[in-house]
Amino acid sequence: MRILIDADGCPVVDIAVGAAKKHKMECIILCDTSHVFKKEGATTIMVSKGADSVDFALVNMVQNGDVVITQDYGLAAMCLARHAVPISQNGLIYSEDNIDGLLMQRHTAKEIRMGGGRMKGHAKRKVCQDEAFKETLEACLQNKK
């Protein structure tokens, strides 16, 4: 089991790398050329800039039982199909029970934007979100041992 991080825009990279060190696990950070990540205790894989280039690189690497950190519902769905455990940056474990609804929300939001509508942006990140992520990640890693 490894931790794979979709690092483009990911606010919990340091927390995930710290958890990987603590549990003596391999940690792989994937990003495109517009982001630079060098973290001790993790391997960084940089891919060409392009729509979903990091997502496709990650899903081609993911193995059964890997923990994947992403905020991308489409990537989470592909990882579920590969029997990985995708987790959001807020500590939500994506599952067969919730992924369809999340993908539908994404589709509906895109339709609104394409029709000229606007969606409210994300609120500023709070400490409690980092704590929720850390708790969920720790629980997943404890259950995998």
Side-chain angles (χ1 to χ4, degrees), residues 1-5 13-29 39-44 62-69 84-85 87 133-134 136-145:
M1 177 180 53
R2 307 171 295 173
I3 297 176
L4 287 83
I5 305 170
V13 172
D14 290 334
I15 296 170
V17 171
K21 284 184 193 176
K22 176 182 171 184
H23 292 275
K24 297 177 175 54
M25 296 176 62
E26 181 180 7
C27 183
I28 302 171
I29 299 171
K39 302 286 182 183
E40 186 179 326
T43 301
T44 300
V62 74
Q63 299 172 1
N64 186 359
D66 284 345
V67 173
V68 177
I69 299 160
V85 180
I87 303 172
F133 170 77
K134 189 173 183 176
T136 300
L137 180 59
E138 283 293 329
C140 282
L141 298 180
Q142 289 295 332
N143 289 336
K144 291 286 184 174
K145 285 188 170 183

Side-chain angles (χ1 to χ4, degrees), residues 76-130:
M78 291 187 284
C79 290
L80 282 170
R82 305 276 313 256
H83 305 287
V85 180
I87 303 172
S88 81
Q89 64 191 17
N90 296 330
L92 172 69
I93 298 175
Y94 300 107
S95 69
E96 298 296 335
D97 295 330
N98 63 20
I99 196 69
D100 287 339
L102 293 168
L103 289 168
M104 181 56 85
Q105 284 177 354
R106 182 179 79 164
H107 174 73
T108 301
K110 183 178 180 181
E111 283 188 338
I112 291 169
R113 288 190 307 274
M114 296 292 284
R118 296 183 66 149
M119 302 294 293
K120 186 176 178 184
H122 297 289
K124 186 176 177 183
R125 188 157 181 87
K126 298 177 183 166
V127 173
C128 64
Q129 291 170 301
D130 286 343

Side-chain angles (χ1 to χ4, degrees), residues 32-95:
D32 67 25
T33 55
S34 63
H35 299 88
V36 177
F37 285 94
K38 290 188 182 184
K39 302 286 182 183
E40 186 179 326
T43 301
T44 300
I45 296 177
M46 201 173 299
V47 298
S48 300
K49 205 184 316 186
D52 301 321
S53 59
V54 170
D55 298 349
F56 291 120
L58 193 153
V59 83
N60 284 325
M61 292 180 64
V62 74
Q63 299 172 1
N64 186 359
D66 284 345
V67 173
V68 177
I69 299 160
T70 184
Q71 58 187 335
D72 184 309
Y73 300 155
L75 176 57
M78 291 187 284
C79 290
L80 282 170
R82 305 276 313 256
H83 305 287
V85 180
I87 303 172
S88 81
Q89 64 191 17
N90 296 330
L92 172 69
I93 298 175
Y94 300 107
S95 69

